[in-house]
Structures are given as structure tokens and as C-alpha cells.
Amino acid sequence: MIERIATTKKTKEIINNHAFTFQKRFGQNFLVDTHVIDKIISGARISDDDAVIEIGPGIGSLTQLLAEHAKKVIAIEIDKKLIPILEETLAPYDNIQLVNEDVLKVDINRIVEKENDGKPVKVVANLPYYITTPIIMKLFEENVPIESVTVMVQKEVAHRMNAVPGTKDYGTLSLAVQYYADTELVANVPANCFIPRPKVASAVIKLTKKTDRDTAPEDEKLMFALIKGAFAQRRKTVINSMANSGIVDASKEKLLAALEEAGIDPKRRGETFTLKEFIRLSDCLREIM
Ligand code: SAM
């Protein structure tokens, strides 16, 4: 068995041998806990049929185990200083493709087309916190062929993505993610599992892409405007929050008529609305606009 990279001893050895310095701007916190890596691999249900895209491989701690379980791994890393390190730490594996790019700028659809004949891939990542939401939304909005996204994110963000209506964590992020995917919390990960230690706790969440397009509204843009409008002033009734937000391009009268048509009490708060109710409201409003 090849030595695991995700231990404090091995990670420090690699960093010292290469005189590597951590780049704060790239959110570099490397995992040094093999149990957490094992939980990510089993949570993502990686099998030897899978092609996996890893975002931000770092020094290869997670990449190594992905390569051992998957058919193929495409690892996208922004920091060019990590490429020679990865070439060395991952030398024993012949099923890894390293891509030195910024994941936010690269055409992921083209990578999937080239590396997996356009067939769905699984995405796995320990993400830099400052780009968590843009990366996840890019994957879903650009309709990249993916089966699931299993990611380490800030604990609060994971809880917001996973939240149900009527809870304090429920909001625009919950609905944006749950519109595209079913969510499942895989593990909570304390700060001492990383070098350097981040200031916040983390969690791994699995987002499994929905295949049921029956749940889509006629007009996605309108539905997302309604969601943003409903949460613009959380403490207000949905009708006042939406009408005062300046986000929804419809008069208060039209919004009231659409709520009535959808069978929704306008005095409710947005935070009690299910995704299905936002879809129904959006379709009713579109009818009368
Ligand atoms: N996967 C490694 C681990 O678990 O130890 C490293 C995780 S570290 C939190 C985030 C990684 O993402 C770093 O290697 C960083 O250089 C890389 N990264 C940051 N921004 C990126 C971007 N825009 N595109 C691709 N990789 C990025």
C-alpha cells in the first residue's frame, strides 16, 4: 500500500522538501486526517466506473484516494507551484490528469467532453471557502454533466445548503442549491484536521443532481427573483418583502393576484415557503404578467 499523504508527518515532510509556502489568497488548508478523507470517498460513493473531477488537489491528499477508487481523476489546481509537487506525490498513479487552471475560468463542459466523452462525472473537492458558492452554482447553472458534487465547505454554509423551510438557516442559498440537487450532510470536520488550521469549522455535504425536470418553473429567472424578493426582508410578510424589494418586476396587485391564484396566504413569511410553492407562484405570476 502506498503511504497516505493526509497525515501531519507526511504533509509537513512534503511541504519542507519543496520549501512550499501557503498562499492565503488561494484558501490553502490541507487535510491531515485520513479518516476524513475516507468519509469523503465513501460519502461520494466513488467506484471504479467513475470519472471524478477534483477541484483544488493541493498536495494530493484526497486525489490519491480518489485515484485508488475511481477509473479516472481530473484534478484542477490554480497554483502552479503545486504542480511539480503533485507530479511527485501522485507519481505512483497512472489515472490522474492534472489541469493547471482557475476552475472559475475554465470550460468544465469541454473538459468533461474531452476526458469522459461528455458522460456525467462526480465532482469532489475541499474548496477554498471564498469561492464555494460561485463554483457550485457554476457547475449547476452551466449544466455541466455531473452526477453529484461532494464538497468540504464552511460548516455554516453546509447547514444553509441543507436547511428545510421554517428554520433560521433556510434562505436563498438553500433554495438555489435544492433547486438543482438533493442534499445530504456527510460529516462535520473540526479545524484541527487541517494545516494550517482554519478559523472556522467545516462540513462535507453531498449534492446529488436532480434528474426530475418536472419540478422546473416556466421561467427560472422570475422564480429566482421571487425567492430573492421573499428573503429581502425576512421579518416581513412575503407580499411586503417582495413588493418593497425592487427585485421582482411586478406590481403589488399582480403579486397579490398571483399569490391568490397559487393558493398561498400573502401574510406568510418567505422563510416558510417550499421550493414547490415558489415554482407555483412563479408560474402563476408569469401567466398574468
Ligand atoms: N484538496 C487539498 C486537501 O484537501 O488537502 C487542498 C484543499 S485547499 C482547502 C484548496 C485548494 O484549492 C488549494 O490547493 C488551492 O490552491 C486550490 N484553489 C484555490 N482556488 C482555486 C481555483 N480558483 N481554481 C482551482 N483551484 C483552486
Side-chain angles (χ1 to χ4, degrees):
M1 194 175 153
I2 300 164
E3 188 183 359
R4 304 273 302 250
I5 299 168
T7 62
T8 305
K9 184 170 161 276
K10 185 72 186 167
T11 298
K12 283 189 173 160
E13 185 188 303
I14 294 169
I15 287 166
N16 291 339
N17 286 350
H18 290 268
F20 176 77
T21 47
F22 289 94
Q23 296 285 326
K24 242 190 168 167
R25 71 194 160 115
F26 292 146
Q28 290 173 339
N29 302 93
F30 298 160
L31 261 171
V32 286
D33 189 310
T34 55
H35 299 298
V36 174
I37 304 254
D38 294 341
K39 277 189 195 164
I40 298 175
I41 301 287
S42 67
R45 297 203 186 87
I46 304 295
S47 76
D48 54 12
D49 279 341
D50 290 324
V52 176
I53 291 190
E54 187 193 3
I55 302 166
I59 57 170
S61 333
L62 183 55
T63 330
Q64 171 184 50
L65 267 281
L66 288 170
E68 286 177 11
H69 286 79
K71 181 178 67 182
K72 182 174 197 177
V73 183
I74 304 124
I76 307 172
E77 173 57 60
I78 195 171
D79 187 352
K80 69 175 187 308
K81 293 211 172 100
L82 285 169
I83 302 300
I85 303 182
L86 285 164
E87 279 164 354
E88 185 186 294
T89 59
L90 302 174
Y93 304 93
D94 60 6
N95 58 343
I96 302 172
Q97 176 81 38
L98 293 177
V99 181
N100 183 203
E101 294 276 4
D102 179 343
V103 72
L104 289 172
K105 294 193 184 137
V106 83
D107 182 347
I108 305 183
N109 273 306
R110 200 185 50 78
I111 293 182
V112 178
E113 192 56 55
K114 183 165 160 249
E115 303 291 341
N116 203 38
D117 298 327
K119 288 187 291 234
V121 295
K122 290 182 177 164
V123 176
V124 178
N126 171 12
L127 291 179
Y129 295 142
Y130 63 104
I131 48 171
T132 303
T133 312
I135 291 179
I136 293 174
M137 294 325 287
K138 172 178 163 137
L139 291 170
F140 288 132
E141 284 166 2
E142 293 182 5
N143 223 358
V144 178
I146 40 176
E147 255 181 79
S148 60
V149 183
T150 305
V151 279
M152 173 95 66
V153 297
Q154 207 173 317
K155 191 172 164 191
E156 282 69 27
V157 174
H159 286 214
R160 274 162 48 207
M161 289 179 179
N162 198 39
V164 295
T167 60
K168 73 168 177 24
D169 288 333
Y170 186 67
T172 51
L173 182 63
S174 329
L175 284 151
V177 167
Q178 292 169 26
Y179 175 60
Y180 294 105
D182 294 316
T183 61
E184 178 192 338
L185 270 184
V186 172
N188 284 315
V189 184
N192 61 9
C193 294
F194 303 88
I195 292 181
R197 227 180 125 115
K199 288 199 184 74
V200 291
S202 304
V204 179
I205 187 164
K206 182 178 185 191
L207 314 172
T208 306
K209 196 168 175 180
K210 285 182 180 166
T211 46
D212 177 10
R213 295 310 289 165
D214 287 353
T215 53
E218 300 280 336
D219 183 342
E220 275 182 10
K221 253 180 98 177
L222 179 60
M223 179 193 69
F224 281 117
L226 286 168
I227 291 174
K228 278 196 193 130
F231 286 95
Q233 292 171 295
R234 279 184 88 99
R235 307 260 125 236
K236 297 232 160 112
T237 60
V238 79
I239 183 64
N240 285 336
S241 181
M242 281 177 180
N244 299 338
S245 68
I247 298 168
V248 187
D249 188 16
S251 64
K252 191 167 181 174
E253 291 67 36
K254 288 221 160 131
L255 285 167
L256 272 170
L259 282 159
E260 189 179 343
E261 183 61 30
I264 301 170
D265 180 354
K267 293 202 193 75
R268 275 171 56 191
R269 287 184 184 164
E271 66 198 28
T272 68
F273 278 47
T274 62
L275 175 62
K276 279 199 175 130
E277 286 178 314
F278 276 115
I279 294 173
R280 200 161 74 231
L281 177 61
S282 165
D283 286 347
C284 290
L285 183 60
R286 190 168 180 271
E287 280 282 298
I288 57 174
M289 273 182 31

